[in-house]
Amino acid sequence: QFTSKGSVSDLHSGLAVKFKRWNNICRADSIIWPPRNWEIMIGDSIAPVAIFRNVSLTPQTFYTVFRIRNTRTGLIVYQARDSVTLLGANESGRVTFPFWKTYPQFDEQSGTMVAEAIASPFKNVDQFIGDYWPYDDTVRQTMFVLRSIVNFSDFNNNFTTLLYFPGNIPDALK
């Protein structure tokens, strides 16, 4: 019910605004590993770690997902799922996901990547926990997978040359 100092007849029907608080249960807080702008060499491996929070007033169990995407191709090169079990009200939980090993024979696993930690609003595959506020469920940061070049030599000894026009962007696969 809308209340005002004046009478209802003084108000225009289009002036009333109703605010709704959407139910929020889980949140992805941060990515611990790999750190932001982390560089790894292709052939190495990492164990992703992320922090998730229960923002409700009761203990909750929910799925968590860690995903790594290649920004150039858009392909998902790693995805793992785990769960946070009976996390207390307003408590955080640290989740360590399985190792991701990069393989040099797959071109999609080199270049700029986006690491994403996702708090899923499901307890089981088909059991929704009531999280209707999806705006804090995903955390993203950039990482780089570098490819070493065998027998690389730089023939340019003059580093004072000025470049007045933009050059080509180097290909991550070469």
Side-chain angles (χ1 to χ4, degrees), residues 105-120:
Q105 62 266 33
F106 299 117
D107 290 337
E108 295 83 17
Q109 292 195 0
S110 66
T112 305
M113 306 287 171
V114 172
E116 301 171 314
I118 303 163
S120 173

Side-chain angles (χ1 to χ4, degrees), residues 44-92:
D44 290 344
S45 60
I46 60 169
V49 179
I51 302 288
F52 298 92
R53 180 179 293 274
N54 172 13
V55 293
S56 73
L57 300 176
T58 59
Q60 294 291 333
T61 297
F62 54 90
Y63 277 134
T64 60
V65 177
F66 197 93
R67 178 170 54 199
I68 299 174
R69 262 185 316 111
N70 186 314
T71 58
R72 187 174 55 84
T73 63
L75 291 174
I76 298 171
V77 296
Y78 172 84
Q79 181 166 319
R81 185 176 73 181
D82 202 342
S83 64
V84 175
T85 306
L86 292 176
L87 192 60
N90 204 26
E91 286 185 0
S92 294

Side-chain angles (χ1 to χ4, degrees), residues 38-44 70 72-73 77 100 102-113 143-152 170-174:
W38 183 252
E39 297 175 353
I40 69 168
M41 295 301 293
I42 198 150
D44 290 344
N70 186 314
R72 187 174 55 84
T73 63
V77 296
W100 172 51
T102 58
Y103 293 97
Q105 62 266 33
F106 299 117
D107 290 337
E108 295 83 17
Q109 292 195 0
S110 66
T112 305
M113 306 287 171
M143 63 178 285
F144 304 95
V145 180
L146 307 175
R147 184 182 296 272
S148 63
I149 299 174
V150 180
N151 297 328
F152 175 78
D171 188 357
L173 301 178
K174 292 184 181 178

Side-chain angles (χ1 to χ4, degrees), residues 90-147:
N90 204 26
E91 286 185 0
S92 294
R94 181 183 181 123
V95 178
T96 301
F97 293 92
F99 277 90
W100 172 51
K101 179 167 176 44
T102 58
Y103 293 97
Q105 62 266 33
F106 299 117
D107 290 337
E108 295 83 17
Q109 292 195 0
S110 66
T112 305
M113 306 287 171
V114 172
E116 301 171 314
I118 303 163
S120 173
F122 288 91
K123 182 189 289 187
N124 295 323
V125 175
D126 59 348
Q127 190 175 5
F128 184 67
I129 61 173
D131 185 29
Y132 292 100
W133 187 258
Y135 306 108
D136 62 352
D137 292 349
T138 304
V139 176
R140 292 181 179 94
Q141 62 190 37
T142 305
M143 63 178 285
F144 304 95
V145 180
L146 307 175
R147 184 182 296 272

